Amino acid sequence: MTSHSQGIQQLLQAEKRAKDKLEEAKKRKGKRLKQAKEEAVAETDQYRMQREKEFHLKQSKVREMPALTSRSSDEVFLRAPGLPCSR
């Protein structure tokens, strides 16, 4: 019977080692997922900042352009290229 109980003890130890390995694998996977999420957030933040910078640059260029809204719509229409001037 001693060999029988010894065999059971070996099985229990093997089961514990397998369980420990699974736990470690889950922890590593969790760390990898967390790192991937952090990298994705950083990448999207960087992209968003780049696009916002481009937007603000374009926005400032539009503000610097002569305002067509200060002219009357008739004046803009009459000065349109390719159209004869009726004045």
Side-chain angles (χ1 to χ4, degrees):
M1 269 213 154
T2 307
S3 80
H4 179 66
S5 65
Q6 189 178 16
I8 292 175
Q9 285 299 325
Q10 287 177 341
L11 286 174
L12 290 173
Q13 289 173 353
E15 185 179 358
K16 184 178 181 331
R17 285 192 306 269
K19 184 179 177 183
D20 291 344
K21 283 185 179 184
L22 283 174
E23 288 298 319
E24 285 299 316
K26 286 180 182 180
K27 287 179 185 179
R28 286 192 308 268
K29 181 180 178 182
K31 286 180 182 180
R32 285 194 315 264
L33 287 173
K34 183 178 178 181
Q35 181 182 3
K37 182 179 179 179
E38 289 171 353
E39 289 173 4
V41 167
E43 188 175 333
T44 54
D45 287 346
Q46 182 181 4
Y47 178 77
R48 183 181 298 114
M49 288 189 313
Q50 175 190 354
R51 297 297 290 176
E52 285 178 358
K53 183 179 177 181
E54 291 172 5
F55 172 75
H56 291 300
L57 182 64
K58 288 180 182 181
Q59 195 176 34
S60 67
K61 286 182 181 180
V62 168
R63 286 183 184 150
E64 293 172 1
M65 292 174 56
L68 292 177
T69 56
S70 64
R71 301 178 184 170
S72 70
S73 59
D74 291 336
E75 182 181 352
V76 172
F77 178 74
L78 292 174
R79 290 188 181 191
L83 294 176
C85 190
S86 63
R87 288 189 178 177

